[in-house]
Amino acid sequence: ALVIATFVSLTIGFLAGFVLAPRGDGDPAGQSGMPHAVGPDDYLQLGMQAMESGDYPRAEQYFRRATELVPGNAMAHTDLAVSLMYQERWADAHGELEVANRLAPDTPEVYFLQGVVYRDGMSDSTRAREAWQRFLAVAPPDSPQAEMVTSWIQGLGPEAVAQ
């Protein structure tokens, strides 16, 4: 009798939780196929999982939702920018990195990624160099990333001299 009562209680609790759980605002019937997430951290985690599986448009959806829920979260904007970079949407990625930079100006990852956007997406080696030099100013000098960025800067060739 105790086993049956426990089973019935768990079943009722599960069903009540399922029925009463809030649904996404813009997707009341669950038509987007996105799993129900409770908060921005859940969306960030789902975005990372989508990135790891190579589903960059889906990652973008999750990261964008996280930025809507917490617009002041610089890392959410940075993660969104990365998903856009993988889709080669350089201007959109640049915009998200600008937002992240305003929110957290001392974050090395933002400068690192800005350099990549300038070099690979905008063919602007001058701005790539500037972003990476800012990265080197705030990143630990003995980190592997600092070493890599130093080699990237050298790969840009000599700095253009203004006349």
Side-chain angles (χ1 to χ4, degrees), residues 64 77-78 80-81 84-85 89-103 110 114 117-118 122:
R64 195 169 299 283
H77 288 280
T78 302
L80 175 56
L84 294 166
M85 290 168 68
R89 292 174 46 203
W90 303 107
D92 294 335
H94 178 262
E96 290 300 325
L97 290 170
E98 289 296 313
V99 172
N101 188 39
R102 281 193 302 277
L103 294 170
V110 172
Q114 281 179 326
V117 167
Y118 290 134
M122 299 179 166

Side-chain angles (χ1 to χ4, degrees), residues 10-24:
L10 289 174
T11 302
I12 291 171
F14 172 77
L15 289 174
F18 180 77
V19 171
L20 299 175
R23 304 288 183 232

Side-chain angles (χ1 to χ4, degrees), residues 111 118 125-135 156 159:
Y111 298 123
Y118 290 134
S125 60
T126 301
R127 291 176 79 183
R129 182 186 314 278
E130 291 169 357
W132 286 334
Q133 287 171 339
R134 286 192 302 268
F135 170 82
L156 294 174
E159 263 185 273

Side-chain angles (χ1 to χ4, degrees), residues 30-31 43-45 66 68 74-75 80 82 101 106-107 112 118 126 131 144 151-152:
Q31 297 167 352
Y43 283 107
L44 290 171
Q45 184 176 19
E68 291 167 358
M75 285 312 298
L80 175 56
V82 172
N101 188 39
D106 293 329
T107 306
F112 179 90
Y118 290 134
T126 301
S151 72
W152 287 353

